[in-house]
Amino acid sequence: MNRRLFTSVLFACLLPFMVQAQQAVFRFAQLTDIHLSPNNPNPTEDLLRSIAQINATDSIDFVLVTGDIAEEGDRTTMEKVKSCLDLLKVKYYVVLGNHETKWSDSGCTAFGEIFGGERFEFEHKGFLFLGFNSGPLMRMAYGHVVPQDIRWMTETMERYNAGNSRPDKPVILVTHYPMTEGDVDNWYEVTDAVRPYNIRLFIGGHYHRDRDLRYDGIPGILMRSNLRDKDEKPGYGIYEITEDSILVHTQRIGEPKRQWAAFSLTDSYYDRNGKAEKYPDFSVNKEYAQVQEQWIVQTGAGIYCSPAVEKDKVFVGDDLGRLTAYALKNGKKLWSFQSGKRIVGTPAVSEGIVVFGSADCKIYGLDAQNGNLLWTVEAAEPVLGAVTIENGIAYIGASDHTFRAVNIRTGEVKWAFAGVRGYIETKPLVTDNKVIFGAWDNTLYALNKADGKELWKWTGGLTRMHFSPAAVWPVAADGKVFITDPQRAMTAIDIETGNTVWRTFQSMVRETIGLSEDKERIYSKTMNDSIVCYSTKGDQPHKLWASNVGFGYEHAPSMQVEKNGVVFGSTKEGLIFALEAATGKVLWKHKTGNSLISTVVPLDNNRVLLTATSGETGMLKFKIKK
């Protein structure tokens, strides 16, 4: 064979491999932490400048957008973000950030409507990209990946591998939060679930700066914010996938890109048969062995509301829009009703009727015995508020700037107050002749219970939406309404006039409050370790006791509840605790998981009901040691 013929044959033999190698080379961009705001034009300008430069850059195959796209998580701003992103000449894929999940007038449903879903999957030149929500959803807590998303990830990777000639497809996972302790409460569940697969990289944002991390050994990249830096330069990420590496660059506007990380596509970074390097510590359960889990049900979906109970049934709403009844005795599922979208607000039940709101823009009344639909009330926007029922009337707020009073037997709207500026998620206080609630507009409202007429509004000088008294469940005693707010203050407000009686920052509380059964004490959770107790009497704050429960840094909006002289509370990391009401003495603690426990429901001297973001609902049984 002559040399020319040999070369031709060799080229023909190698051509498929050369084409395969050539196809495996591509580039994509990452935009993150855009924070568009109706009150600041700079983030919009920064985004448009970045989009223009991406469009002018050769060989960008697609763009990943990794959350915090809107400062206040509202639909209008997200639609504006989309109109900007639509200027890109290439396809883009978006995941939610905490600013879209914690603050959302739609219960996070608008994001999916605008961008086509809350997660994405696509294959590009031999790589599988999976993007998913890392929370938290509506409740201030650490990030969380819900059970159904973990299940979706593993099932999707199995499906792609099963149908591919190369069964070990390389995967890049896209989130907002890093999968680390202190950022995502169930990081270990995520890393354990994906570890058996060929995960080459996690890509995220959140920290607003470049970070090269390891999530139980798996490489993780956090990219700088798109917002202009101290040099007034917006920026974004550029990733180059070569034949054997992933190269990571930061690209500032008008400058050459700067490489700052690289990862091999052939080396192993973690043990695919291993486990997470660290798990949550459950040793507290041995210390307080008098507390037992009588029953725990894993529902398979995130839960953001507290349970409601009547007679022998427990009612729980979930992320998949289901309202489910369980047997109080053993947790057996009795029936389930499917609403159109997720349930965020805590339901209420009275006279055999369960009432709840759904992000599908409806308020529902169900027969508590069998789950049959009795009536619905239509709202113009999602209904995220918790429900309070008194004397056959359900009180509930929605995101259509309206608060309603509904007859639970007929579904007739007794009255509707349409003067709310923000959206409502709280459980309203119904006391004497008033209904009192906060909204995400810096305002606490007091309405006449009989006709819904406004009696007063309190703003307390709050100027930022994020400081609103909107997650706290207000309580009242001694002629005052008591609230806490994200500005880390506790406030007493005159219940007749709406004037501030006192306001204190001394205990660094946030969005939780509780009232003693005799109405002489209020309780709140500080942001570090302690529960504090104040007197309801007088016109000055008077702290009665503070108890170091040892729960660490804390900012979850789960209320304190007193029952038979015992104060119950819970945290963002799965801890439930009981204190002696008069003194604050710690009676017991129990850790059921590592995610947010919503406001618990004590039943009597030895039982308490719980729900968790991670999908559990259950009952603890305990003995109080004298």
Side-chain angles (χ1 to χ4, degrees):
M1 183 180 296
N2 63 40
R3 186 169 182 173
R4 178 175 294 178
L5 180 59
F6 174 79
T7 301
S8 300
V9 172
L10 180 62
F11 179 80
C13 293
L14 292 176
L15 181 60
F17 300 99
M18 294 170 62
V19 170
Q20 184 178 14
Q22 190 176 30
Q23 288 177 340
V25 178
F26 60 94
R27 293 199 295 172
F28 62 90
Q30 179 193 1
L31 292 164
T32 193
D33 297 275
I34 297 166
H35 290 280
L36 248 66
S37 169
N39 305 313
N40 181 2
N42 289 347
T44 303
E45 180 184 330
D46 295 343
L47 177 60
L48 292 175
R49 291 177 67 192
S50 296
I51 288 171
Q53 183 159 299
I54 290 171
N55 284 340
T57 303
D58 291 336
S59 304
I60 299 293
D61 288 14
F62 56 87
V63 178
L64 302 178
V65 185
T66 55
D68 278 7
I69 61 175
E71 178 68 14
E72 297 180 359
D74 60 293
R75 180 187 291 269
T76 300
T77 304
M78 288 192 293
E79 288 174 340
K80 183 175 180 180
V81 174
K82 184 178 186 300
S83 70
C84 294
L85 293 174
D86 284 347
L87 298 173
L88 286 164
K89 294 180 179 179
V90 295
K91 194 170 180 61
Y92 62 87
Y93 305 87
V94 191
V95 293
L96 299 97
N98 54 292
H99 276 255
E100 290 79 58
T101 59
K102 171 61 188 84
W103 298 282
S104 172
D105 54 358
S106 72
C108 306
T109 58
F111 180 93
E113 294 166 1
I114 293 167
F115 293 104
E118 294 180 14
R119 55 196 185 198
F120 63 73
E121 65 175 86
F122 68 94
E123 188 176 16
H124 188 78
K125 296 187 176 180
F127 283 74
L128 176 62
F129 289 79
L130 301 178
F132 54 96
N133 181 14
S134 50
L137 199 143
M138 299 303 297
R139 309 292 183 236
M140 180 61 74
Y142 286 149
H144 180 80
V145 182
V146 290
Q148 64 266 33
D149 280 356
I150 296 177
R151 198 163 55 244
W152 165 79
M153 270 192 291
T154 57
E155 290 174 354
T156 302
M157 289 187 286
E158 286 287 348
R159 174 165 47 85
Y160 271 89
N161 282 336
N164 197 278
S165 58
R166 185 173 64 166
D168 200 27
K169 180 177 289 295
V171 181
I172 292 178
L173 299 175
V174 184
T175 68
H176 178 68
Y177 275 106
M179 292 296 131
T180 52
E181 182 183 14
D183 289 297
V184 173
D185 58 30
N186 63 334
W187 82 93
Y188 55 96
E189 292 181 338
V190 176
T191 58
D192 277 356
V194 304
R195 177 180 299 277
Y197 304 93
N198 187 15
I199 310 300
R200 303 316 309 182
L201 191 63
F202 272 88
I203 292 176
H206 187 61
Y207 278 13
H208 287 219
R209 61 186 185 274
D210 298 335
R211 296 290 300 275
D212 180 356
L213 302 174
R214 296 295 179 274
Y215 309 152
D216 291 324
I218 305 172
I221 284 293
L222 302 183
M223 189 58 65
R224 61 154 288 172
S225 168
N226 184 239
L227 297 172
R228 62 191 64 181
D229 55 27
K230 59 183 177 59
D231 298 322
E232 295 293 305
K233 293 291 185 74
Y236 53 92
I238 295 287
Y239 296 78
E240 293 184 352
I241 311 297
T242 71
E243 296 176 15
D244 59 5
S245 301
I246 302 176
L247 308 179
V248 183
H249 307 80
T250 292
Q251 176 72 72
R252 295 210 303 180
I253 297 298
E255 298 180 0
K257 65 180 184 293
R258 174 182 61 86
Q259 181 182 326
W260 56 273
F263 302 96
S264 171
L265 289 174
T266 57
D267 291 348
S268 296
Y269 287 94
Y270 62 96
D271 180 0
R272 291 173 65 172
N273 296 312
K275 294 289 185 181
E277 297 166 0
K278 182 181 179 182
Y279 292 93
D281 181 5
F282 288 85
S283 60
V284 67
N285 295 348
K286 295 180 180 179
E287 183 180 354
Y288 297 95
Q290 72 267 33
V291 186
Q292 301 294 322
E293 297 175 3
Q294 180 163 327
W295 57 265
I296 297 287
V297 174
Q298 173 51 257
T299 66
I303 300 174
Y304 313 115
C305 60
S306 295
V309 61
E310 186 179 53
K311 296 180 180 178
D312 60 349
K313 296 180 181 64
V314 181
F315 306 92
V316 177
D318 68 27
D319 195 29
L320 299 180
R322 302 174 302 199
L323 193 288
T324 303
Y326 299 93
L328 179 63
K329 180 179 180 179
N330 56 18
K332 178 183 177 182
K333 180 179 175 180
L334 302 175
W335 55 258
S336 188
F337 176 86
Q338 183 69 57
S339 72
K341 291 184 179 179
R342 65 170 48 99
I343 299 169
V344 172
T346 295
V349 55
S350 180
E351 303 176 31
I353 299 171
V354 188
V355 180
F356 68 97
S358 169
D360 68 1
C361 307
K362 293 179 182 177
I363 303 166
Y364 291 87
L366 307 181
D367 187 319
Q369 185 62 32
N370 52 32
N372 289 342
L373 178 65
L374 300 177
W375 51 261
T376 60
V377 172
E378 299 276 350
E381 296 291 340
V383 184
L384 311 179
V387 186
T388 298
I389 298 177
E390 183 190 74
N391 296 329
I393 302 297
Y395 299 90
I396 182 171
S399 294
D400 58 357
H401 311 293
T402 303
F403 189 93
R404 294 171 174 86
V406 183
N407 186 307
I408 67 170
R409 300 176 192 88
T410 65
E412 177 188 3
V413 177
K414 181 181 177 183
W415 53 257
F417 173 73
V420 183
R421 290 185 297 113
Y423 65 96
I424 305 164
E425 69 166 86
T426 188
K427 181 181 177 70
L429 167 66
V430 181
T431 179
D432 297 330
N433 66 330
K434 297 178 180 64
V435 183
I436 299 171
F437 60 93
W440 286 105
D441 56 12
N442 301 324
T443 305
L444 190 76
Y445 295 84
L447 308 181
N448 186 302
K449 185 171 68 174
D451 57 17
K453 297 287 178 58
E454 182 182 302
L455 299 175
W456 51 258
K457 291 190 293 190
W458 177 92
T459 61
L462 299 173
T463 57
R464 290 182 56 195
M465 180 273 280
H466 295 147
F467 286 163
S468 300
V472 67
W473 296 0
V475 298
D478 193 48
K480 296 183 283 292
V481 178
F482 298 91
I483 59 169
T484 54
D485 62 64
Q487 202 173 24
R488 306 178 182 184
M490 178 186 291
T491 307
I493 300 164
D494 187 291
I495 198 167
E496 295 302 327
T497 66
N499 295 329
T500 300
V501 177
W502 55 258
R503 180 170 171 83
T504 178
F505 295 84
Q506 72 179 96
S507 292
M508 291 286 285
V509 295
R510 190 175 171 113
E511 295 171 287
T512 74
I513 205 155
L515 180 68
S516 65
E517 290 175 300
D518 61 11
K519 298 190 175 183
E520 293 191 355
R521 300 178 301 276
I522 51 173
Y523 312 103
S524 191
K525 185 168 49 176
T526 74
M527 295 185 68
N528 192 37
D529 284 325
S530 297
I531 297 295
V532 292
C533 174
Y534 283 72
S535 172
T536 60
K537 307 296 183 181
D539 58 4
Q540 296 293 326
H542 175 49
K543 186 164 71 172
L544 300 175
W545 53 256
S547 178
N548 187 346
V549 183
F551 44 66
Y553 174 68
E554 175 64 19
H555 56 336
S558 50
M559 308 305 129
Q560 292 74 55
V561 184
E562 182 181 325
K563 185 80 170 180
N564 298 334
V566 177
V567 180
F568 298 87
S570 58
T571 76
K572 70 182 186 317
E573 293 176 84
L575 187 73
I576 300 171
F577 53 85
L579 311 179
E580 189 174 79
T583 66
K585 176 186 175 183
V586 177
L587 300 174
W588 56 258
K589 296 185 280 187
H590 186 83
K591 189 172 173 66
T592 63
N594 205 52
S595 69
L596 169 64
I597 304 289
S598 293
T599 301
V600 297
V601 179
L603 300 174
D604 49 37
N605 287 333
N606 61 2
R607 296 179 302 165
V608 63
L609 293 170
L610 66 101
T611 52
T613 299
S614 47
E616 292 86 13
T617 185
M619 179 192 293
L620 300 186
K621 192 171 184 178
F622 54 88
K623 294 180 180 179
I624 300 295
K625 292 184 178 181
K626 302 298 184 180

